[in-house]
Amino acid sequence: FDHEPITMVNMNSFMYVTAVSLYSLEGVGLVLPLESSCIDRNGFPKLLTKCLIGITTLMCVFGISGYVAFGSHTMAPITLNLNGGWSAFVKVALCVALYLTYPVMMFPVNEVLEEMFLTKQQQPSLSSDVTAISTLKGDDSNSNGHSSSTNHEIHQQHQQEPARIFRTIVVLTSVTVAYTIPDFGKFLGLAGSSICTILGFILPCYLHTVVFGWDELRWWEVGLNAFLICFGVVFGIIGTWQSFCELF
């Protein structure tokens, strides 16, 4: 704790802090896929609320502790400030966590991109996998059935090759972008003020208004949606420009 006095409020960094905080909304694309895969969908909102409260509390405590410990010398990510034997363990644990959660985060991304760039025949489908499994189970009793199931499996493998190549390109592209970014913290600010603002404020409020319509929504719900959309647009433009200038 041997550093300059802690500044409680620094308005010069308000836009940057807000943009980085909004980056926490980058997982909003997982909400609907997770809800659709739940057995008890009625209990999902309560579970989601508990998770958001827990994660928000953890982020606040972690961020404040890092600033109190290192002051203005806090780097992004904060693991760069750590020294000693335990720092290597923390960095390895963080890498393992990112490695294990990366496929989960890319699940909705791949669904959208594959639908945009691949044909229906090239897109992997669950129904085709189920058909292949059922064919294998039903044809194990005779050699002809085994031969046909093998041919069917080979056909499925060739059919999924474009999707596998496409996903490999997406992974390599994300790795290249992450490696070439000069300042990770400022890049989070750019992503938060642009993409996450759209995902967290503009699109949800717009879709909520369009789906339910003016007749089903109360006046304060329509007003709140309009306010959040305007806030997202204004902050997105200003924050994106400022973050872009600071990054480059």
Side-chain angles (χ1 to χ4, degrees):
F1 302 107
D2 186 16
H3 51 70
E4 71 280 358
I6 298 296
T7 303
M8 297 301 297
V9 180
N10 185 6
M11 295 305 298
N12 295 328
S13 303
F14 175 77
M15 295 295 294
Y16 172 72
V17 173
T18 305
V20 174
S21 300
L22 289 178
Y23 181 77
S24 59
L25 297 175
E26 50 90 19
V28 70
L30 290 173
V31 174
L32 292 180
L34 289 175
E35 181 184 10
S36 61
S37 61
C38 289
I39 298 177
D40 182 15
R41 299 183 63 177
N42 294 328
F44 181 79
K46 185 181 295 185
L47 176 62
L48 179 63
T49 302
K50 293 180 180 179
C51 291
L52 289 177
I53 294 175
I55 293 174
T56 303
T57 304
L58 180 62
M59 286 185 172
C60 292
V61 172
F62 192 79
I64 294 174
S65 301
Y67 181 59
V68 170
F70 303 106
S72 60
H73 300 288
T74 305
M75 292 184 284
I78 196 173
T79 51
L80 297 177
N81 289 100
L82 302 179
N83 295 316
W86 281 103
S87 64
F89 173 78
V90 173
K91 294 176 182 179
V92 171
L94 179 61
C95 292
V96 173
L98 293 175
Y99 176 78
L100 295 178
T101 56
Y102 181 81
V104 180
M105 302 301 296
M106 291 301 295
F107 174 69
V109 177
N110 285 331
E111 280 192 335
V112 174
L113 293 179
E114 288 171 2
E115 187 174 353
M116 292 175 57
F117 295 102
L118 299 180
T119 62
K120 291 294 184 181
Q121 292 76 17
Q122 294 174 338
Q123 296 177 20
S125 59
L126 181 61
S127 59
S128 61
D129 296 337
V130 172
T131 303
I133 294 174
S134 61
T135 303
L136 288 173
K137 289 183 177 180
D139 293 342
D140 283 342
S141 57
N142 55 75
S143 58
N144 292 332
H146 180 72
S147 177
S148 62
S149 63
T150 303
N151 294 333
H152 183 78
E153 185 179 0
I154 294 175
H155 175 72
Q156 292 293 333
Q157 293 289 337
H158 287 293
Q159 190 176 10
Q160 294 180 1
E161 282 183 0
R164 292 173 179 173
I165 296 175
F166 181 79
R167 292 179 180 181
T168 302
I169 295 175
V170 172
V171 171
L172 293 177
T173 302
S174 62
V175 170
T176 303
V177 172
Y179 183 77
T180 54
I181 291 299
D183 192 313
F184 184 73
K186 294 180 179 179
F187 177 75
L188 292 186
L190 178 62
S193 58
S194 56
I195 301 175
C196 294
T197 301
I198 298 175
L199 294 177
F201 289 95
I202 300 177
L203 284 183
C205 297
Y206 172 76
L207 295 176
H208 184 236
T209 304
V210 171
V211 171
F212 290 95
W214 295 82
D215 297 332
E216 298 185 26
L217 294 177
R218 301 176 182 177
W219 65 269
W220 63 268
E221 292 178 325
V222 177
L224 180 60
N225 287 340
F227 171 76
L228 291 177
I229 291 175
C230 293
F231 169 79
V233 172
V234 174
F235 177 82
I237 295 175
I238 299 175
T240 300
W241 174 254
Q242 182 176 348
S243 300
F244 185 83
C245 294
E246 291 181 355
L247 183 62
F248 299 101

